[in-house]
Amino acid sequence: MKNIISHKVLSVALAVLVLFSTFSFTVEKHYCGDNLIDVAIFSEAKSCGMEIESEPKLKKTCCKDIVDVIEGQDELQSVTFDDLDFPTQVFLRAFVQAYIVNFESLPKQIIPHRDYVPPNLIRDIQLLNDVFLI
């Protein structure tokens, strides 16, 4: 039972690991001066409203936006059996053969008394003779 549960937990953990290693996302941060105003993942960060939109050449704004792009892995490496060196191939074949031997079915067992029907008891002999096992 413990083996099945640990196998399922390990499978889910590895699936999550593969998912997050190939997952890309952006984190946007909006600073007003030195203060962090907003952090957003997958969307744009909200501004503080202090940006000057009419004439940006006259005054410098105190706000700045920082975008961090976290890129996941684009290609997963797949290895085929032919890519392995010869000693590794021999080891894997021997291991699989030894593992498969453990799951061979047992021969069909013959049960000689399967169709035997015991005789009907008319009287209980032990009770009639007052013989009881102690």
Side-chain angles (χ1 to χ4, degrees):
M1 183 70 178
K2 290 181 183 179
N3 192 13
I4 294 171
I5 293 172
S6 64
H7 179 68
K8 288 183 180 183
V9 168
L10 183 64
S11 298
V12 169
L14 288 176
V16 169
L17 178 69
V18 169
L19 176 70
F20 282 122
S21 68
T22 58
F23 194 63
S24 315
F25 59 95
T26 60
V27 177
E28 291 192 20
K29 300 175 187 173
H30 181 77
Y31 288 93
C32 188
D34 291 334
N35 297 329
L36 178 64
I37 301 298
D38 190 28
V39 176
I41 301 173
F42 303 118
S43 63
E44 293 183 12
K46 295 179 184 175
S47 65
C48 60
M50 294 186 64
E51 292 88 10
I52 300 172
E53 297 178 9
S54 61
E55 294 188 28
K57 295 181 181 179
L58 297 178
K59 293 184 180 179
K60 290 188 176 181
T61 179
C62 65
C63 298
K64 62 181 175 179
D65 291 323
I66 297 176
V67 178
D68 295 328
V69 177
I70 300 171
E71 293 185 12
Q73 186 177 3
D74 289 339
E75 296 178 11
L76 294 177
Q77 180 182 4
S78 62
V79 178
T80 62
F81 188 73
D82 295 331
D83 293 340
L84 301 173
D85 56 341
F86 183 71
T88 307
Q89 288 180 359
V90 170
F91 171 75
L92 288 176
R93 285 185 182 165
F95 181 76
V96 168
Q97 287 295 328
Y99 191 73
I100 289 174
V101 169
N102 291 334
F103 293 107
E104 288 182 359
S105 63
L106 296 174
K108 188 174 181 181
Q109 296 183 357
I110 299 171
I111 303 172
H113 58 279
R114 180 177 40 175
D115 298 327
Y116 174 72
V117 180
N120 293 329
L121 295 176
I122 300 171
R123 294 184 186 151
D124 192 2
I125 302 294
Q126 291 180 345
L127 190 60
L128 287 174
N129 296 328
D130 291 328
V131 178
F132 302 104
L133 299 174
I134 297 177

